[in-house]
């Protein structure tokens, strides 16, 4: 018994000796697993990367049968298991290194992540210029990876595997400690799934311009920061929207609610703006939109113009200074 014990200890000791030292660094995010039924920002980038490899798919953020058959065909051409499921092996073969001067759909895939997941102000135009390069350098340095402005395999993994929100875009990082979550008690469903997230396709080619924080009708909606109520109107299926011009110049549109405030009134951080209202179709949620406040005009813009958000990339039907609101999910929740 004793002999066997010391034999095992010797083996363990030898194993420790031959195991190479692992470098100490923050964990690289895992590649996400996407398959038929997935939706959101990563699906957009997947579709742009498939286009870049010559596969014809529509870029709508929804992983349906068209995307699935393109994935399967890409997998068989690349000696991968053709199961239609996009994991680490498939991602690794789909991404290509891009840098200043690149002009292709892979650039759009990276720009889409930078803009929609991390809140950088870049255009999704497929042209890797100085604006994209500086966004990439900033993203790299925030994530502790070499800030060379080149999107290679590691940067791709951080872009696509990262969670966004407070970890990336400068809009939300600066507000994370000062603003509060707009839904008292927090949402009942995960706002990063199920079509509740920013940028997912809606009917007739429109993309979701806000984030949905689900809650039962009557739940209180709170001002995230101080400001003045500038507009209240009918918004969707019998529900209303309240626009607040925040004191920092930004605009918050609290939607699908029953207002408790009136136009011209002041709100402080935590003031009850209204309560979640059941729409005529039965949905119950706070739909939140945020704007930089750098341009004027109606927040909803149905005509394609210079005052229109990301014309070349996506049809959000919103004003040009729309902000990715996903970072609001990480604000402190008032119980
Ligand atoms: Zn919504």
């Amino acid at each position: 018994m004793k002999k066997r014990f010391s034999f095992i200890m010797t083996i363990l000791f030898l194993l420790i000796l031959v195991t190479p030292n692992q470098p100490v660094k923050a964990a690289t995010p895992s590649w996400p697993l996407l398959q038929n039924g997935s939706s959101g920002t990563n699906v957009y980038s997947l579709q742009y990367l498939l286009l870049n490899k010559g596969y014809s798919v529509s870029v709508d953020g929804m992983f349906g049968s068209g995307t699935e058959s393109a994935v399967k065909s890409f997998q068989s051409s690349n000696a991968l298991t053709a199961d239609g499921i996009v994991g680490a092996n498939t991602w690794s073969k789909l991404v290509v290194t891009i840098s200043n001067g690149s002009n292709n759909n892979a650039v759009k895939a990276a720009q889409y992540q930078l803009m929609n997941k991390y809140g950088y102000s870049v255009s999704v135009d497929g042209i890797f210029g100085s604006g994209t390069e500086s966004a990439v350098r900033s993203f790299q340095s925030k994530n502790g990876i070499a800030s060379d402005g080149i999107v290679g395999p590691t940067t791709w993994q951080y872009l696509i595997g990262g969670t966004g929100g407070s970890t990336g875009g400068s809009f939300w990082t600066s507000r994370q400690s000062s603003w509060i979550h707009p839904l008292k008690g927090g949402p009942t469903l995960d706002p990063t799934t199920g079509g509740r997230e920013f940028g997912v396709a809606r009917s007739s080619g429109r993309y979701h311009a806000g984030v949905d924080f689900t809650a039962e009708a009557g739940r209180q909606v709170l001002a995230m920061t101080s400001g003045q109520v500038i507009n209240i109107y009918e918004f969707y299926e019998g529900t209303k929207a309240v626009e607040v011009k925040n004191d920092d110049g930004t605009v918050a549109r609290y939607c699908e609610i029953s207002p408790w405030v009136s136009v011209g009134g002041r709100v402080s951080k935590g003031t009850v703006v209204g309560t979640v209202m059941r729409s005529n179709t039965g949905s119950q949620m706070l739909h939140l939109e945020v704007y930089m406040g750098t341009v004027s005009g109606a927040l909803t813009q149905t005509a394609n113009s210079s005052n229109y958000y990301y014309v070349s990339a996506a049809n959000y039907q919103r004003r040009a200074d729309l902000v990715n609101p996903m970072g609001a999910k990480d604000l402190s929740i008032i119980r």
Side-chain angles (χ1 to χ4, degrees):
M1 196 64 194
K2 201 170 186 186
K3 230 173 198 171
R4 184 183 288 175
F5 178 74
S6 59
F7 173 73
I8 288 168
M9 288 311 286
T10 307
I11 293 293
L12 281 175
F13 180 69
L14 286 173
L15 274 175
I16 289 162
L17 277 183
V18 299
T19 304
N21 286 324
Q22 296 300 310
V24 179
K25 68 179 191 94
T28 306
S30 322
W31 288 106
L33 210 58
L34 298 181
Q35 56 194 302
N36 201 324
S38 301
S39 64
T41 317
N42 289 334
V43 177
Y44 281 99
S45 290
L46 166 66
Q47 290 167 332
Y48 279 127
L49 289 168
L50 285 165
L51 276 184
N52 187 58
K53 291 285 186 182
Y55 294 84
S56 154
V57 287
S58 46
V59 179
D60 58 5
M62 305 294 286
F63 195 130
S65 56
T67 302
E68 185 174 29
S69 66
V71 167
K72 283 182 178 172
S73 143
F74 172 78
Q75 288 171 327
S76 13
S77 313
N78 286 275
L80 296 162
T81 313
D83 56 5
I85 298 170
V86 181
N89 295 337
T90 305
W91 282 116
S92 304
K93 296 219 161 156
L94 271 170
V95 298
V96 293
T97 295
I98 49 172
S99 57
N100 202 323
S102 302
N103 181 354
N104 54 43
N105 280 302
V107 176
K108 287 189 183 177
Q111 289 169 329
Y112 199 90
Q113 294 288 320
L114 287 166
M115 182 190 80
N116 284 294
K117 197 192 279 178
Y118 303 103
Y120 289 95
S121 296
V122 294
S123 313
V124 183
D125 56 8
I127 300 162
F128 199 129
S130 56
T132 301
E133 183 176 342
S134 72
V136 168
R137 285 181 189 275
S138 156
F139 175 80
Q140 289 170 324
S141 84
K142 276 181 183 165
N143 284 281
I145 52 179
S147 180
D148 57 6
I150 299 167
V151 181
T154 304
T155 302
W156 274 115
Q157 195 167 339
Y158 274 87
L159 278 173
I160 291 176
T163 52
S166 61
T167 57
S170 54
F171 183 91
W172 290 104
T173 28
S174 60
R175 289 170 174 87
Q176 216 62 55
S177 54
S178 53
W179 287 23
I180 57 161
H181 195 287
L183 187 64
K184 190 171 185 186
T188 52
L189 293 169
D190 181 355
T192 68
T193 63
R196 291 175 280 275
E197 64 271 42
F198 179 76
V200 292
R202 289 292 193 250
S203 56
S204 59
R206 184 173 64 84
Y207 295 132
H208 193 215
V211 55
D212 293 336
F213 293 125
T214 47
E216 67 290 348
R219 184 85 74 82
Q220 290 184 350
V221 172
L222 311 175
M224 295 182 286
T225 184
S226 59
Q228 183 169 26
V229 179
I230 54 172
N231 218 342
I232 297 177
Y233 43 86
E234 186 90 10
F235 182 72
Y236 171 76
E237 296 288 350
T239 67
K240 294 201 162 136
V242 172
E243 280 179 35
V244 176
K245 178 81 174 171
N246 298 321
D247 292 340
D248 67 0
T250 61
V251 175
R253 177 150 75 164
Y254 303 92
C255 309
E256 303 186 33
I257 68 172
S258 171
W260 281 23
V261 290
S262 42
V263 174
R266 290 276 314 161
V267 295
S268 306
K269 178 165 78 175
T271 297
V272 181
V273 172
T275 54
V276 170
M277 189 175 174
R278 186 186 172 91
S279 79
N280 293 339
T281 54
S283 61
Q284 299 170 67
M285 68 188 69
L286 163 68
H287 165 98
L288 175 75
E289 295 177 11
V290 179
Y291 295 80
M292 285 304 290
T294 49
V295 295
S296 57
L299 301 182
T300 297
Q301 298 273 325
T302 49
N304 197 321
S305 73
S306 59
N307 204 19
Y308 189 81
Y309 182 68
Y310 301 124
V311 179
S312 62
N315 174 16
Y316 284 85
Q317 298 185 356
R318 290 299 184 270
R319 206 172 72 180
D321 58 336
L322 182 66
V323 169
N324 179 343
M326 293 306 292
K329 73 181 168 53
D330 301 319
L331 296 168
S332 315
I333 292 169
I334 305 297
R335 300 282 167 190

